[in-house]
Amino acid sequence: MITFTDVENNEYQAQCEIEKTDAVNGEKSLSGTIYFGQDVKANIAKGWTLSFLDEEYVVVTYTKNDKENTVAFSAVQAFFYKMSKTGFYEKWNGSHPFASYLDALFAGTGYTYDNTASVAAFEKQDWGMSDRLSLFNDIIDQASVEFSVEGTVVHVVPAMGSDLSTIVRKKFNLDTAEIQTDNTSFATYGRGYGAYSKPNDTTSKRLEVEYKSPLYNYYYPKFGAIEAVPVADERYTIAENLLAAVKEKVDKSWAISLTLNLVDLQSVGYKYAMANPGDYITVIDESLNFSDKVRIIKVTSDYDIRGTRTKTEVECGSLSFAEQQKTSQSTLSNVAAGKIPVPNEWLTSQVQLATNSLLAARTELKFTDQGIIAIDKSDANKVVILNSAGLGVSTDGGQTFKSAITADGVVADRLFGNLISGITYETKDAASGYTIRLKGGAMELLKGDDLVSGINQNTSGSTFNNFEGHTLSLSQTNASGVSTEVLAIPSSSTHDSPKLSVYGKINTRLKFLSDGVIQADNLLWLGSLNGVNIGAFGSDGTFTHRIDATSSEVKVFGNFTVYNGSKNAAQVTRDGIRATPAYELAENYVGDIGEGKTGDDKTVRVDIDPLVFDLINTDKPYQVFLTAYSDAHFWVSERGKDYFVVSSDSPDSAFGWELKGKRRGFEDQRLVDTKDTYEDLEKMEGLIPNGNQNVQSNS
């Protein structure tokens, strides 16, 4: 019986014939026909789900056949349906870590992921604004990884499946087989182009490699070099890694597709597990002259109304041609002909005997000449062996032990624990060639065999070392995985000429101390070849208030306020350098000084300098101060907009004048409040150590 659930989570039972399809990185899907279950047949609608083999599927289509009183339907596994119906409303550009893409896609979906694949950051252009399933498949393809779904957890792995010891042989458990080859992409030669010698110059020389397959010389006389599409990726900086990528592309250019039907021997008591998508099996068919190791790409199984699997069709693709050459064809032929027993790494007679004994026994354990062997009764691919050599755990019937403890060490896909102690730990990214090594209480970071940087400890503390010729950066990364450099030791820095580049904003007060005490000779120098700019950002993002210092002058933009001191000009005198303080007023004035002489009519017009007139606002009252240089009395008889008139009681009389007018744009300023408090001044390194000495009493 199959359980169906409607939109309101009401459950109904039905009997169906079902065809189930599982594929590597493809949708898990069902198609079926409902024969019994009137409530389901009458009411099935959009939003219904069903549970099959402990997995939830969403019904996407259904067709009612009134003549036969049946309902045909199709359904997809819930993950694929929900992700395809959920949008991602952002658009990303640039390079991001693989985990950042996954985090963004899985956020808020109810699904989580477990990633065990090592994938370097990669670049996308206009990635987003689509359904999450399409975007997920896109980055899975880009990263060249695979995935499987278990409940609400999506497992991202370098490759699915296991290399099984299962042999599928004609007239034993192979019913029919059909082989199809595809050489449309066949290549014998490939090239690779990696990083530029100058990273920011695309005209500079690139890292370049080439590869010729074992079949190159065979096909060259007739076709010449049969070239694959070149691998062009600037992330490759090591020739060996780039060559490996080109080699893989050429060697996998010849594909073999195999479709076969397996007789499900489990129904007659054969306990060895059927293979799953991603698994590798060995297929032998003498009539087709085929004997090779192939990978299962898709499995389609038929189930009757009792839930019994009645037929399984498997679609396979071969290993690459280069990998095929590693398989001993003579051994396969001898096995197929029955001349020699199946090799131990496939399925030994001893293991077969032990398997039968264990399954028939009351206990899971059996002592054999190979040691103590435990085999899972429901899945014979799961094997544990214990002997004098060590302990091993296998998921492929004992062919390989990916988790093992021997005298040579511990091998495992994953290690879990609160503390892992040891002498040396090393992890390496094959694509980029970068390595992190923990060794003797220190950390080393390497690029290939070249030591780039590291963390060491000594008697004075911890040291983060950057080796000459490399850049050490401290960056800030946002939620999208985009990084901005904040602090860096550039590659041009050396031991004798150390350099530091600061790109971020410094949010602190800098103090330069000697033994914890501020010293006069502990100076801070800021300098560059062309000049130094110190400023604060305005609301529009520009430096509205700043000081610009060059080799010839210093400019101040914005208000300039001096605390606890005066504005001085330094003058050379016969007794050394003396300070001449600036004249301070309560209001903002601009002045000018000159001399004049009244005429025969005892008056003279003095025109205000046009440039001075531009600086002052003569619409406001301005002041003229007169000094007599003759035996006469002087006064200002008229103040015009751009002139003033001086009169005297005697003709032809000399005088001096001083003009003071309010600065244009600052006419209303008078003793401007700085908004600073006494408490603020106390924080400014002792500006008022004995109280406010600038305030005097009126009493």
Side-chain angles (χ1 to χ4, degrees):
M1 300 291 285
I2 304 298
T3 300
F4 286 80
T5 306
D6 64 15
V7 177
E8 297 177 350
N9 291 323
N10 298 311
E11 294 184 351
Y12 307 91
Q13 301 294 316
Q15 288 183 311
C16 321
E17 286 184 350
I18 287 180
E19 181 183 86
K20 179 175 180 286
T21 300
D22 295 279
V24 174
N25 286 358
E27 290 191 10
K28 290 186 175 183
S29 61
L30 304 177
S31 61
T33 302
I34 305 172
Y35 289 98
F36 304 102
Q38 188 59 35
D39 290 337
V40 178
K41 290 193 292 184
N43 301 311
I44 189 171
K46 291 182 294 184
W48 277 47
T49 59
L50 71 148
S51 177
F52 186 71
L53 298 180
D54 298 324
E55 288 188 298
E56 182 184 9
Y57 291 80
V58 179
V59 176
V60 291
T61 66
Y62 56 91
T63 303
K64 297 183 178 181
N65 189 324
D66 293 338
K67 181 178 180 180
E68 298 180 358
N69 192 24
T70 59
V71 175
F73 71 92
S74 63
V76 295
Q77 206 263 2
F79 167 78
F80 298 95
Y81 180 84
K82 293 178 181 178
M83 292 291 281
S84 69
K85 300 300 181 182
T86 307
F88 182 72
Y89 305 109
E90 298 178 22
K91 183 173 287 188
W92 289 14
N93 288 289
S95 179
H96 305 275
F98 184 46
S100 296
Y101 292 107
L102 294 175
D103 289 338
L105 289 178
F106 281 84
T109 63
Y111 289 90
T112 58
Y113 71 89
D114 172 29
N115 177 29
T116 58
S118 177
V119 180
F122 53 85
E123 185 174 354
K124 301 297 291 184
Q125 183 70 28
D126 293 333
W127 182 82
M129 298 303 290
S130 183
D131 66 273
R132 293 176 186 259
L133 182 60
S134 298
L135 297 174
F136 177 68
N137 287 328
D138 178 61
I139 63 170
I140 288 294
D141 290 340
Q142 178 99 15
S144 298
V145 295
E146 297 177 353
F147 71 95
S148 61
V149 182
E150 293 183 10
T152 60
V153 180
V154 178
H155 300 281
V156 180
V157 295
M160 292 175 57
S162 304
D163 194 350
L164 300 181
S165 58
T166 303
I167 293 181
V168 179
R169 184 175 177 181
K170 183 74 171 181
K171 299 179 182 178
F172 172 54
N173 59 351
L174 173 61
D175 185 14
T176 60
E178 176 184 328
I179 298 176
Q180 178 182 359
T181 61
D182 180 6
N183 62 359
T184 56
S185 300
F186 176 56
T188 62
Y189 175 82
R191 287 188 181 185
Y193 297 89
Y196 291 95
S197 58
K198 298 178 181 179
N200 297 323
D201 183 3
T202 56
T203 63
S204 63
K205 183 176 177 59
R206 295 187 74 171
L207 174 65
E208 184 175 342
V209 299
E210 66 174 5
Y211 170 72
K212 297 178 181 178
S213 80
L215 296 177
Y216 178 86
N217 293 330
Y218 181 76
Y219 285 97
Y220 187 84
K222 184 173 183 178
F223 298 103
I226 306 175
E227 299 186 14
V229 176
V231 175
D233 191 336
E234 297 177 32
R235 293 174 295 174
Y236 285 103
T237 58
I238 300 175
E240 291 79 2
N241 296 334
L242 179 58
L243 181 61
V246 176
K247 183 176 183 295
E248 180 181 21
K249 190 167 190 176
V250 173
D251 288 344
K252 289 188 176 181
S253 63
W254 182 31
I256 294 178
S257 176
L258 172 67
T259 302
L260 52 87
N261 289 314
L262 291 176
V263 178
D264 189 352
L265 301 181
Q266 288 184 337
S267 61
V268 293
Y270 185 76
K271 298 296 185 179
Y272 208 76
M274 295 298 291
N276 297 311
D279 287 342
Y280 291 97
I281 61 175
T282 300
V283 176
I284 302 173
D285 189 340
E286 296 91 335
S287 61
L288 292 176
N289 194 28
F290 181 85
S291 55
D292 207 347
K293 189 180 292 184
V294 297
R295 191 182 191 203
I296 297 177
I297 305 301
K298 183 170 67 175
V299 178
T300 304
S301 300
D302 292 345
Y303 296 82
D304 61 20
I305 61 174
R306 296 184 299 274
T308 302
R309 183 164 53 185
T310 58
K311 185 182 73 173
T312 300
E313 185 176 87
V314 178
E315 183 178 328
C316 304
S318 75
L319 299 174
S320 69
F321 181 82
E323 289 173 316
Q324 292 174 36
Q325 304 313 300
K326 299 176 184 177
T327 302
S328 172
Q329 296 299 324
S330 60
T331 301
L332 283 168
S333 300
N334 290 333
V335 170
K339 296 179 180 179
I340 62 173
V342 179
N344 288 338
E345 61 268 23
W346 295 352
L347 187 63
T348 68
S349 58
Q350 293 174 335
V351 172
Q352 182 65 64
L353 178 60
T355 300
N356 295 334
S357 299
L358 286 171
L359 294 177
R362 296 180 180 178
T363 176
E364 294 283 342
L365 300 178
K366 178 82 175 175
F367 287 92
T368 71
D369 56 354
Q370 292 180 321
I372 302 175
I373 301 176
I375 300 179
D376 190 329
K377 287 187 176 182
S378 61
D379 187 350
N381 287 322
K382 298 177 181 178
V383 176
V384 177
I385 185 170
L386 175 64
N387 56 34
S388 59
L391 173 67
V393 180
S394 175
T395 58
D396 55 14
Q399 181 176 345
T400 60
F401 292 89
K402 295 181 179 179
S403 298
I405 302 175
T406 69
D408 295 325
V410 178
V411 178
D413 282 339
R414 301 181 188 179
L415 293 175
F416 299 94
N418 293 328
L419 176 65
I420 300 176
S421 300
I423 298 175
T424 302
Y425 168 80
E426 184 173 290
T427 176
K428 183 175 182 179
D429 178 40
S432 64
Y434 286 102
T435 300
I436 297 177
R437 180 185 297 150
L438 301 179
K439 181 179 180 181
M443 175 185 289
E444 296 178 347
L445 287 81
L446 302 95
K447 182 178 181 182
D449 296 328
D450 190 9
L451 188 58
V452 175
S453 58
I455 300 176
N456 300 90
Q457 296 182 5
N458 49 47
T459 55
S460 60
S462 300
T463 303
F464 206 139
N465 298 312
N466 179 60
F467 289 84
E468 294 181 356
H470 300 281
T471 299
L472 176 63
S473 299
L474 179 64
S475 301
Q476 179 65 53
T477 305
N478 62 16
S480 300
V482 179
S483 297
T484 300
E485 200 169 26
V486 178
L487 190 70
I489 299 176
S491 58
S492 58
S493 178
T494 65
H495 177 270
D496 298 327
S497 179
K499 299 177 183 178
L500 178 67
S501 301
V502 180
Y503 305 99
K505 302 170 184 176
I506 301 177
N507 184 23
T508 186
R509 293 178 180 174
L510 297 176
K511 300 179 182 179
F512 293 83
L513 309 177
S514 177
D515 297 329
V517 180
I518 298 178
Q519 301 288 341
D521 59 349
N522 289 320
L523 302 178
L524 168 64
W525 289 91
L526 298 177
S528 69
L529 185 62
N530 297 319
V532 175
N533 304 102
I534 303 174
F537 284 111
S539 58
D540 60 352
T542 60
F543 283 110
T544 55
H545 297 82
R546 72 177 193 265
I547 299 175
D548 292 354
T550 65
S551 59
S552 60
E553 61 183 349
V554 175
K555 296 179 181 179
V556 178
F557 297 83
N559 296 329
F560 184 68
T561 304
V562 177
Y563 287 88
N564 198 30
S566 62
K567 300 187 288 291
N568 303 319
Q571 296 288 128
V572 179
T573 71
R574 69 184 66 188
D575 193 24
I577 309 298
R578 300 293 177 167
T580 57
Y583 180 45
E584 308 284 0
L585 293 174
E587 296 180 275
N588 206 326
Y589 281 93
V590 174
D592 195 11
I593 296 176
E595 295 184 6
K597 187 177 182 181
T598 57
D600 294 337
D601 60 351
K602 304 179 184 179
T603 63
V604 65
R605 172 185 168 123
V606 179
D607 291 318
I608 299 175
D609 187 312
L611 298 180
V612 175
F613 175 76
D614 292 341
L615 299 177
I616 65 176
N617 186 353
T618 56
D619 291 334
K620 300 286 186 179
Y622 59 88
Q623 307 303 320
V624 180
F625 303 92
L626 302 176
T627 301
Y629 294 141
S630 59
D631 188 13
H633 176 64
F634 299 90
W635 67 92
V636 178
S637 57
E638 182 181 355
R639 286 187 294 180
K641 189 175 182 66
D642 57 357
Y643 70 93
F644 58 88
V645 177
V646 178
S647 299
S648 63
D649 56 4
S650 299
D652 300 322
S653 299
F655 64 93
W657 57 266
E658 180 180 3
L659 169 69
K660 284 188 174 68
K662 291 191 174 182
R663 184 190 296 270
R664 191 177 298 276
F666 301 88
E667 297 89 338
D668 299 325
Q669 287 191 356
R670 179 177 177 82
L671 296 175
V672 177
D673 187 359
T674 66
K675 306 301 182 183
D676 293 323
T677 66
Y678 295 146
E679 289 77 11
D680 294 330
L681 295 180
E682 288 175 350
K683 298 176 182 178
M684 296 183 186
E685 305 295 342
L687 285 181
I688 50 173
N690 300 313
N692 184 13
Q693 66 268 35
N694 296 321
V695 178
Q696 56 185 348
S697 173
N698 291 326
S699 60

